[in-house]
Amino acid sequence: MAKAKQPEGEIYYPSQQIIEQARLKDWDALAKFASKNLEEFWAKEASELDWYKPWDKVLDDSNKPFYKWFTGAQVNIVHNALDRHQQTYRKNKLALVWVGEDNSVRTYSYYALNREVSQFANVLRAMGLKKGDRVTIYMPRIPEIVIAMLACAKIGAIHSVVYGGFSVDSLQGRIDDSQSRMVITADGGFMNGKIVELKKTVDEALKRCPSVETVVMVQRTKHQVRMEPGRDYYYHELIKLPIANGKCATEIMDSEDPLYILYTSGTTGKPKAILHTHGGYMVGVYSTLKYVFDLNDTDRWWCAADPGWVTGHSYIVYGPLIMGATSFMYEGAPTYPYPDRWWALIEKYGITVFYTAPTAIRGLMRFGELWPRKHDLSSLRLLGSVGEPINPEAWKWYHRVIGNEKCPIMDTWWQTETGMFMITPTPVVPLKPGSGTRPFFGQEAEIVDEAGKPVPDGEEGYLVLNRPWPAMLRTVYNDPERYVQQYWSKYPGKYTTGDSAKRDKDGYFWIIGRVDDVIKISGYRLGTAEIESALVSHPAVAEAAVIGIPHEVKGSVIYAYCLLRSGYQATPELPDELKQHVATHLGPIGKPEQVTFVDKLPKTRSGKIMRRVLKARALGLSEGDISTLEE
Ligand code: WTA
């Protein structure tokens, strides 16, 4: 790249070999071009993919902030992920290599994956599902979750994947809000040597979900589960039916037709359903994966996230398949049976590009270098990080011990809402540990103060995005007002990310963390409201407030403050009972680390809980401006 101005500080430069291998050598030139010619840049990216009918307009911004991309075009993301590869050598290339926690192995070529997706899509159609219907997918990390998502998209149904680590209340709320007609699940999955009983949770949730007509269940663990006659069907039986043949026409969709909704936590209230579309989302995930992780035919890509989160949607399922890449997927826990499970898999399967979260790196770091050193990790050429800020210490360990000092780390900042990487390096960009470097091509990020005025470099402020991008959320499903209010009203014309950050004088961005009521626990995104409502559903709790407190491995942990109902005593057992209650209702990730009973919660005069004050107290810091605190 152009050596005009060298960044300052502790810099990791890419090796000559990395630069030679990289698809894109001149980052600055493309960044400059895209910034001046936003639509032209994205049109060129889009033209590398197949469309049934080309677009009339690249970007339609006539009704801001309801931006539209590639309007007038017809497409289906599955056509690009599967159909088009059937006409090329990729038909016989591995699309997916999967390993179960119990060491079972399954592989799918592009041909085999397309065949099974078509079979299942035929089943879904025969069951009466059509374009626009919602389907909730609640599954472990097994190939069928990928197949289920693709089969839905193929027939134009909108999938709503609920992470398998969520429990009854979260699942029920999401099924109900989306009015799903079907739930696709599994009897269970293996995690840490135990069975996670998914079907049992589905049965519980469906007691309060009248919209669901059918449940399709994959047998994974084969333990005894209840099957409700007339409602529940076995996946393996359905795909043996004559209707489930291996040919199925892909539904022709408009570019702006919904592809999926994905629930995520935001400021207060219920989780909201972020809506992504076929056309723009497809172009965004393709282009980002291509430039950032630079996948080639010789690569074996492992995104160690769960398909139930956006990282899995964009970079396990859609992105890699659109690229025609070979993906690796592992069902279980990184430390089962020993803390070298991941490293052993990298060695055995020859992983070349590995993408995970800082919390996982910090967690594995604790076990020491000997575990990774037992394995030959020389197949790796690039590493990635996502989900929360990576502390320089973890970055350097990852770089030195896992990447053997030769693999650049792509620290990608993005969100469920953005659908694709927004602030990220590419392999040729000089890196600073802990910074996601600069905005992706065509994007312009900015740090502003409360009033929306840009703050000087080096100062902390709110991170906003100034340009629309193709994979951007289109709306909050069934709640367009919330879309406008939450993302576009604080600073007109700018997208509010909910994060605070700094920019240094080299233009590198440093994410600090959320400034709203979102807590990132081990990289998982939860809202304070969700955890609080799980707490108050316990008979002893009248009111609850939760905050995130920094934690060495998990990034944050939850501290809960509860006000008891009259007649209830703060017994020594009650904190544990409440922790368990949250785990049962919301999911283990929401389980508070600490529960404290209080007589009063700090509130503003208008009755809003001042979590900031609780946090300051918990950390022993000054309570700051408490002029709005009620008497
Ligand atoms: C945080 C995950 C620092 C951030 C893809 C963002 C990050 C939230 C990074 C979105 C990163 C994600 N560095 N922080 N590389 N990536 N975040 O919707 O706070 O689960 O707003 O999407 O994660 O979380 P979400």
Side-chain angles (χ1 to χ4, degrees):
M1 52 185 289
K3 291 260 158 52
K5 183 172 165 278
Q6 298 289 349
E8 288 170 25
E10 189 179 17
I11 317 285
Y12 287 70
Y13 287 96
S15 66
Q16 204 49 44
Q17 193 189 357
I18 291 283
I19 296 174
E20 271 161 29
Q21 274 175 3
R23 223 186 222 95
L24 174 80
K25 303 208 172 19
D26 196 342
W27 186 93
D28 295 83
L30 189 58
K32 210 162 153 188
F33 172 80
S35 133
K36 284 205 184 108
N37 312 280
L38 183 70
E39 291 187 48
E40 228 182 292
F41 169 74
W42 284 114
K44 162 131 196 329
E45 295 302 308
S47 69
E48 293 174 10
L49 300 171
D50 274 10
W51 301 77
Y52 298 126
K53 178 175 170 274
W55 53 89
D56 302 322
K57 218 169 167 356
V58 177
L59 170 64
D60 175 356
D61 58 1
S62 58
N63 183 26
K64 289 176 197 165
F66 295 93
Y67 294 91
K68 291 183 176 152
W69 286 85
F70 307 107
T71 49
Q74 288 183 327
V75 70
N76 187 310
I77 195 167
V78 176
H79 176 83
N80 280 284
L82 294 176
D83 304 6
R84 68 176 182 140
H85 302 310
Q86 307 306 315
Q87 273 71 55
T88 71
Y89 69 94
R90 285 193 178 128
K91 181 175 172 180
N92 291 315
K93 178 180 170 177
L94 284 180
L96 186 63
V97 177
W98 174 83
V99 175
E101 203 187 66
D102 60 355
N103 274 318
S104 33
V105 178
R106 281 199 271 157
T107 58
Y108 292 79
S109 65
Y110 273 88
Y111 175 80
L113 189 62
N114 182 52
R115 184 173 155 78
E116 193 158 330
V117 168
S118 298
Q119 286 181 287
F120 193 44
N122 277 325
V123 169
L124 297 179
R125 272 203 182 120
M127 285 180 144
L129 279 188
K130 28 177 220 319
K131 185 169 166 173
D133 285 342
R134 275 82 56 211
V135 176
T136 295
I137 299 176
Y138 181 66
M139 291 176 87
R141 229 162 16 232
I142 56 175
E144 286 84 355
I145 187 170
V146 179
I147 293 164
M149 290 165 72
L150 293 165
C152 287
K154 187 175 173 78
I155 65 162
I158 303 170
H159 59 69
S160 167
V161 181
V162 178
Y163 171 57
F166 277 125
S167 298
V168 184
D169 293 357
S170 318
L171 177 62
Q172 186 264 331
R174 287 155 170 82
I175 294 173
D176 201 46
D177 186 80
S178 63
Q179 288 292 296
S180 288
R181 293 184 60 193
M182 181 188 279
V183 175
I184 306 173
T185 188
D187 46 2
F190 292 109
M191 188 59 71
N192 277 312
K194 295 193 201 87
I195 290 177
V196 182
E197 297 202 39
L198 298 171
K199 177 61 164 57
K200 205 165 137 192
T201 304
V202 170
D203 288 340
E204 250 338 278
L206 289 192
K207 287 182 182 157
R208 291 171 287 152
C209 294
S211 66
V212 175
E213 300 154 26
T214 324
V215 175
V216 175
M217 192 197 80
V218 176
Q219 264 192 328
R220 164 65 186 127
T221 50
K222 301 212 167 79
H223 70 289
Q224 190 73 36
V225 295
R226 197 178 68 85
M227 294 296 277
E228 189 167 309
R231 187 195 71 182
D232 300 353
Y233 297 86
Y234 287 106
Y235 174 89
H236 66 274
E237 287 180 358
L238 293 174
I239 58 161
K240 273 192 224 132
L241 296 173
I243 178 75
N245 63 65
K247 294 218 162 53
C248 174
T250 303
E251 191 82 23
I252 295 180
M253 307 294 283
D254 285 334
S255 180
E256 281 290 307
D257 277 338
L259 166 64
Y260 68 77
I261 53 177
L262 184 56
Y263 285 85
T264 192
S265 310
T267 304
T268 64
K270 288 192 305 181
K272 46 193 188 300
I274 301 303
L275 184 126
H276 285 292
T277 58
H278 274 260
Y281 175 80
M282 169 183 90
V283 175
V285 298
Y286 163 72
S287 177
T288 44
L289 189 58
K290 179 184 71 172
Y291 287 120
V292 176
F293 286 106
D294 206 16
L295 299 184
N296 295 304
D297 265 338
T298 47
D299 276 314
R300 285 214 167 176
W301 160 249
W302 183 7
C303 167
D306 192 278
W309 300 88
V310 75
T311 307
H313 280 58
S314 297
Y315 301 110
I316 295 177
V317 182
Y318 291 110
L321 294 174
I322 295 169
M323 290 283 297
T326 299
S327 273
F328 178 78
M329 186 160 127
Y330 163 62
E331 176 185 36
T335 46
Y336 188 84
Y338 299 108
D340 63 342
R341 188 72 192 262
W342 274 6
W343 319 132
L345 289 167
I346 289 174
E347 174 174 6
K348 178 162 180 190
Y349 291 93
I351 304 303
T352 58
V353 187
F354 180 64
Y355 185 39
T356 186
T359 183
I361 298 161
R362 290 190 298 258
L364 292 167
M365 230 170 105
R366 275 188 321 177
F367 294 101
E369 282 179 35
L370 286 181
W371 289 103
R373 295 277 186 228
K374 276 174 63 181
H375 300 278
D376 174 5
L377 303 180
S378 61
S379 58
L380 290 169
R381 66 175 186 87
L382 274 179
L383 298 171
S385 172
V386 61
E388 48 177 329
I390 180 163
N391 47 312
E393 194 198 346
W395 195 101
K396 287 179 199 169
W397 187 86
Y398 194 28
H399 186 262
R400 181 175 58 82
V401 180
I402 307 307
N404 199 17
E405 293 183 340
K406 71 176 172 84
C407 305
I409 299 174
M410 303 295 102
D411 179 0
T412 61
W413 176 89
W414 59 297
Q415 308 178 300
T416 306
E417 291 87 342
T418 69
M420 62 183 228
F421 309 147
M422 299 307 295
I423 296 177
T424 176
T426 73
V428 298
V429 171
L431 304 172
K432 302 188 189 188
S435 167
T437 77
R438 295 173 287 205
F440 188 72
F441 307 117
Q443 191 47 260
E444 193 186 292
E446 206 175 13
I447 313 288
V448 298
D449 64 14
E450 198 60 44
K453 219 171 94 278
V455 305
D457 283 343
E459 275 179 33
E460 182 175 342
Y462 300 103
L463 176 68
V464 296
L465 301 174
N466 289 343
R467 299 279 201 89
W469 64 99
M472 65 200 297
L473 77 164
R474 294 303 190 268
T475 189
V476 173
Y477 185 67
N478 280 341
D479 200 349
E481 272 159 42
R482 197 163 170 197
Y483 167 70
V484 176
Q485 196 267 330
Q486 176 124 17
Y487 301 104
W488 301 96
S489 61
K490 191 163 181 192
Y491 312 110
K494 296 177 196 290
Y495 169 87
T496 302
T497 63
D499 278 357
S500 64
K502 289 181 189 175
R503 184 175 58 196
D504 68 20
K505 57 184 181 326
D506 297 316
Y508 278 45
F509 285 80
W510 300 78
I511 307 296
I512 296 161
R514 301 289 307 192
V515 282
D516 54 8
D517 298 328
V518 170
I519 307 178
K520 280 262 162 167
I521 307 129
S522 300
Y524 296 127
R525 178 166 165 182
L526 282 184
T528 51
E530 281 171 281
I531 308 161
E532 288 161 5
S533 76
L535 283 165
V536 296
S537 73
H538 188 282
V541 181
E543 244 188 304
V546 306
I547 52 172
I549 291 293
H551 184 270
E552 211 180 312
V553 173
K554 297 178 180 173
S556 310
V557 289
I558 298 161
Y559 277 27
Y561 298 85
C562 298
L563 213 95
L564 293 181
R565 273 180 208 285
S566 58
Y568 283 90
Q569 295 295 323
T571 59
E573 299 78 42
L574 195 53
D576 281 341
E577 189 180 321
L578 291 176
K579 288 179 197 175
Q580 198 43 51
H581 180 80
V582 175
T584 309
H585 285 256
L586 180 64
I589 43 172
K591 197 170 171 174
E593 180 89 357
Q594 187 177 302
V595 175
T596 309
F597 300 111
V598 293
D599 299 331
K600 206 171 173 212
L601 290 169
K603 284 188 187 167
T604 61
R605 283 181 207 109
S606 58
K608 262 189 82 179
I609 295 171
M610 294 183 81
R611 294 191 182 77
R612 178 173 66 73
V613 172
L614 285 172
K615 197 163 174 173
R617 284 179 192 165
L619 295 171
L621 302 170
S622 134
E623 292 181 13
D625 177 10
I626 50 167
S627 57
T628 56
L629 195 67
E630 73 179 345
E631 300 306 307

